[in-house]
Amino acid sequence: MKRFILMAIAAIFLFLQFPINNANALELTEVTRTITLDEAGKTVTLSSEQVFNGEKIFNANCTKCHLQGKTKTNNNVSLGLSDLAKAEPPRNSLLALIDYMKYPTSYDGEDDYTELHPNVSRPDIFPELRNLTEDDVYDVSAYMLIAPKLDERWGGSIYF
């Protein structure tokens, strides 16, 4: 028994020799959480919970084609803010992205992509989005506008 106690004490002292660092969660400032709401330039500030929910949904459903905001199916168009602004209609605001999540169109706005691009208006074709609520669509759209502030490599092309 004495040997067991000495081994346990030695193990504890050995374990305490390793540096233990505190894990710090990323804290999003109000500036980071503030995004453009509409084409008129109004802004909205999201809660950290909304941003993290949007990130979770994006990672679960969108990264198959849009890893780090890049577009695998069209290398010339990304989810970067400059590319979203050049779309027709522009998609660089929260309400515009929400509209796109419901009724996707081609980059030039000419073609209806509701049967080609995952969206919440066609759960019969895209069952992975069937359970998304209006709040979830809001959060994931908001995350796409906040992500470029969090990751400087967000968007762009996948060409190296």
Side-chain angles (χ1 to χ4, degrees), residues 40-54:
K42 292 180 186 173
T43 60
V44 63
T45 302
L46 301 138
S47 69
S48 293
E49 292 80 19
Q50 288 174 303
V51 176
F52 294 128
N53 183 48

Side-chain angles (χ1 to χ4, degrees), residues 65-93 96-97 100 105-109 144-145 148 152-159:
C65 297
H66 295 290
L67 185 62
Q68 219 173 12
K70 294 162 180 58
T71 302
K72 292 180 183 178
T73 57
N74 184 349
N75 297 325
N76 298 315
V77 179
S78 75
L79 298 180
L81 294 177
S82 62
D83 283 347
L84 292 174
K86 294 174 191 171
E88 187 58 45
R91 298 178 184 137
N92 60 339
S93 68
L97 277 177
Y100 184 82
T105 59
S106 59
Y107 191 67
D108 61 8
M144 288 189 280
L145 295 173
E152 63 187 31
R153 298 171 299 182
W154 180 267
S157 72
I158 61 171
Y159 298 120

Side-chain angles (χ1 to χ4, degrees), residues 24-146:
N24 295 321
L26 178 64
E27 186 172 327
L28 301 175
T29 64
E30 188 173 327
V31 173
T32 304
R33 293 180 287 117
T34 301
I35 56 173
T36 306
L37 176 65
D38 57 21
E39 290 180 24
K42 292 180 186 173
T43 60
V44 63
T45 302
L46 301 138
S47 69
S48 293
E49 292 80 19
Q50 288 174 303
V51 176
F52 294 128
N53 183 48
E55 179 181 24
K56 181 182 75 171
I57 294 167
F58 184 88
N59 288 337
N61 297 297
C62 307
T63 55
K64 295 172 199 141
C65 297
H66 295 290
L67 185 62
Q68 219 173 12
K70 294 162 180 58
T71 302
K72 292 180 183 178
T73 57
N74 184 349
N75 297 325
N76 298 315
V77 179
S78 75
L79 298 180
L81 294 177
S82 62
D83 283 347
L84 292 174
K86 294 174 191 171
E88 187 58 45
R91 298 178 184 137
N92 60 339
S93 68
L94 182 57
L95 295 180
L97 277 177
I98 290 171
D99 181 65
Y100 184 82
M101 293 283 294
K102 293 178 180 179
Y103 312 104
T105 59
S106 59
Y107 191 67
D108 61 8
E110 294 291 321
D111 300 318
D112 178 14
Y113 278 9
T114 54
E115 294 184 7
L116 302 172
H117 188 278
N119 63 81
V120 295
S121 65
R122 292 298 306 266
D124 55 323
I125 300 175
F126 305 104
E128 64 270 17
L129 303 180
R130 178 179 298 146
N131 296 324
L132 293 185
T133 65
E134 286 289 325
D135 288 341
D136 291 338
V137 173
Y138 184 95
D139 293 350
V140 75
S141 299
Y143 171 73
M144 288 189 280
L145 295 173
I146 290 173

